[in-house]
Amino acid sequence: MHWLIWVFIAVSFSSAYRLGYKMLSGEFTALFNVAVITLIASLTCFVLYFLREHNATSFENLSAKSIAPLILVGIVLAGLEVSIMMIYRVGGPLSISQSLASSMTGIIIFGVGVLCFKDQLNWGQITGFFLSLTGVSLLTYYSAAKS
């Protein structure tokens, strides 16, 4: 399957995910919500793993070196989820906040890909980068001006 199909699938799930976050009531704390959501997501992944790929992983090869990145990404994910939930809790608009966060993340990762991983770019991708940069600038400027 082509990787762009997975991009569209990720965008679909991400959009539904963010809408779900916006609809959560303020009845529970952000940390409790993220803990429950992450637990359900983890259980879902474990079920899918054992149904589909359980023979693909050799648990004898587990080491501190192979587990450390998983722990780091888990901590980063928790920080990401709490920060996004807090954006909505403090009144961040759904239409702007997620667009701004995603665009800024894309710009940072674009730079990391080029500088650290030596990704090769064509003129269309470079133009798209500068259009994204312009979009983030406009979103930030007009969001700050409205406040």
Side-chain angles (χ1 to χ4, degrees):
M1 190 179 298
H2 195 275
W3 65 270
L4 277 175
I5 292 171
W6 286 107
V7 169
F8 291 118
I9 292 169
V11 167
S12 300
F13 278 109
S14 181
S15 299
Y17 186 51
R18 299 307 172 215
L19 287 170
Y21 259 175
K22 186 70 174 175
M23 293 186 298
L24 286 174
S25 71
E27 188 175 336
F28 303 112
T29 67
L31 285 175
F32 178 81
N33 287 341
V34 170
V36 171
I37 290 166
T38 305
L39 177 63
I40 293 168
S42 296
L43 292 173
T44 303
C45 288
F46 272 113
V47 167
L48 291 173
Y49 167 77
F50 285 109
L51 289 175
R52 299 183 48 98
E53 304 178 344
H54 64 278
N55 293 328
T57 303
S58 173
F59 291 104
E60 296 91 39
N61 296 332
L62 290 179
S63 66
K65 187 177 180 180
S66 65
I67 294 293
L70 294 174
I71 293 169
L72 176 65
V73 172
I75 292 168
V76 169
L77 179 62
L80 171 67
E81 297 306 328
V82 170
S83 64
I84 289 171
M85 188 168 289
M86 292 308 296
I87 289 170
Y88 299 135
R89 283 270 169 106
V90 299
L94 181 66
S95 58
I96 301 299
S97 55
Q98 189 58 41
S99 299
L100 187 57
S102 294
S103 298
M104 290 174 75
T105 301
I107 289 168
I108 291 168
I109 296 302
F110 183 91
V112 170
V114 170
L115 297 174
C116 297
F117 293 96
K118 308 296 183 219
D119 289 351
Q120 300 297 311
L121 304 173
N122 60 40
W123 283 107
Q125 292 165 323
I126 294 169
T127 302
F129 170 77
F130 284 107
L131 287 173
S132 295
L133 195 57
T134 302
V136 166
S137 300
L138 289 171
L139 280 171
T140 305
Y141 175 78
Y142 285 107
S143 293
K146 190 176 180 180
S147 304

